[in-house]
């Protein structure tokens, strides 16, 4: 980092936290952070090694499903073949019967006997037709059955090849992971040696229950459990002179001065906000709630002894409702709109406002948003210098 930035940050820290000289990190904390990284990597590798057989198992299960499907298709083909043989046997039996009836018909004495035989023959012929229909149906179905078997066979072949590949990959991956695990474990043992015994025990106990044993502190909060720290605890963590534990989650707390640098730089370079004049003939306001419209920008202007009010949607810049005109100065005409609103910078002529029509141009909307953002930042940090005119971000109607 450039040395002038470092100077800035530490200067800010000195002003804001007068008791603290220079933020730093305990070497033990640095070791714990490295240890935490090692622990995380070990856990990841461990989980990966454990996951690989599960993945293979899932593919094997799919493979078993395909096998069952193939067996079912093959059984259906066999079933059809057996049925066909049954129908063919029935047909040949019926044909035998018919030929027997015909022989008998040569010897009959009466017309009734002849009729009875003829009836039997006709009945047997009908049966033959019914069996033939069933065989035909099976033949039509056979194509579909064949296709089912072939599809299942092809699928099984592809899946078997895939599982072999997956198994091989899993085997290689496991070997690599095991090697890395051994390396990380050695590294971890080395890092452990660099941490005090009782601190290490505390870290490991909390890690076991919460998944991590050390937590960064930022904006006075424990980043792991999001609980605010007491100011004294916060200062102690920042000072980096002793190890402090989060009251809420028991994790060991640390403060990273380089993160503060990232937080501070934008505010250091934020340009000073221009303050609107209290007696300007036009005033823009932001209101978080306005009737049923939610967040709005209000534009109040004095024109020829009258006051006008325009309401715009904050998100879209769309003009909401009609332009309201009242007698007198806008401060007297619309006091209820000013109270509790945030005053913003903005000044456009009445003609320009009319020219905007039903929607604020994007550039105007952007400038209002930027000023609102600046006003909020100012209110949050209290960073504005005392202006000659007492213009506070939140104005009161009485002022
Ligand atoms: Zn915590």
């Amino acid at each position: 980092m450039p040395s002038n930035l470092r100077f800035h940050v530490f200067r800010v820290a000195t002003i804001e936290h007068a008791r603290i000289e220079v933020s730093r990190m305990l070497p033990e904390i640095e070791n714990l952070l490295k240890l935490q990284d090692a622990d995380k990597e070990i856990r990841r590798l461990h989980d990966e090694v454990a996951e690989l057989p599960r993945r293979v198992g899932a593919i094997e299960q799919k493979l078993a499903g395909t096998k069952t499907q193939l067996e079912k298709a093959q059984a259906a083909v066999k079933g059809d073949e057996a049925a066909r043989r049954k129908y063919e046997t029935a047909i040949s039996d019926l044909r035998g019967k018919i030929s027997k009836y015909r022989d008998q018909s040569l010897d009959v004495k009466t017309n009734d006997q002849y009729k009875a035989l003829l009836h039997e023959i006709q009945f047997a012929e009908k049966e033959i037709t019914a069996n033939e229909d069933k065989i035909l149906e099976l033949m039509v179905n056979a194509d579909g059955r064949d296709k089912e078997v072939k599809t299942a066979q092809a699928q099984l072949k592809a899946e078997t090849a895939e599982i072999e590949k997956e198994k091989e990959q899993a085997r290689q991956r496991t070997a690599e992971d095991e090697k890395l695990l051994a390396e990380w474990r050695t590294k971890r043992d080395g890092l452990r040696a660099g941490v005090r015994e009782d601190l290490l025990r505390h870290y490991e106990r909390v890690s076991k229950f919460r998944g991590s044993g050390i937590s960064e502190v930022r904006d006075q909060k424990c980043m792991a459990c999001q609980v605010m720290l007491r100011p004294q605890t916060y200062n102690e963590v920042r000072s980096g002179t002793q190890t402090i534990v989060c009251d809420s989650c028991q994790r060991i707390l640390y403060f990273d001065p380089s993160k503060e640098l990232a937080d501070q730089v934008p505010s250091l370079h934020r340009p000073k906000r221009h303050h609107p004049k209290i007696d300007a003939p036009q005033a823009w306001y932001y209101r978080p709630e306005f009737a049923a419209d939610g967040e709005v920008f209000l534009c109040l202007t004095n024109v020829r002894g009258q006051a006008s009010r325009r309401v715009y949607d904050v998100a879209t810049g769309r003009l909401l409702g009609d332009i309201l005109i009242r007698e007198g100065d806008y401060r007297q005409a619309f006091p209820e709109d000013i109270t509790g609103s945030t005053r913003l910078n903005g000044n456009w002529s009445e003609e320009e406002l009319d020219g905007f029509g039903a929607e604020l141009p994007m550039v105007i909307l952007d400038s209002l948003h930027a000023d609102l953002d600046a006003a909020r930042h100012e209110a949050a940090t209290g960073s504005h210098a005392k202006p000659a005119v007492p213009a506070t971000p939140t104005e009161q109607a009485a002022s």
Side-chain angles (χ1 to χ4, degrees), residues 215 222 224-227 246 248-251 253:
S215 168
C222 165
C225 72
Q226 298 295 315
V227 167
C246 176
S248 160
C249 70
Q250 298 294 307
R251 287 184 182 90
L253 297 173

Side-chain angles (χ1 to χ4, degrees), residues 43 73 138 266 312 328 333 337 363 368:
R43 210 171 307 137
L138 288 175
Y312 296 96
D337 294 331
V363 59
L368 289 169

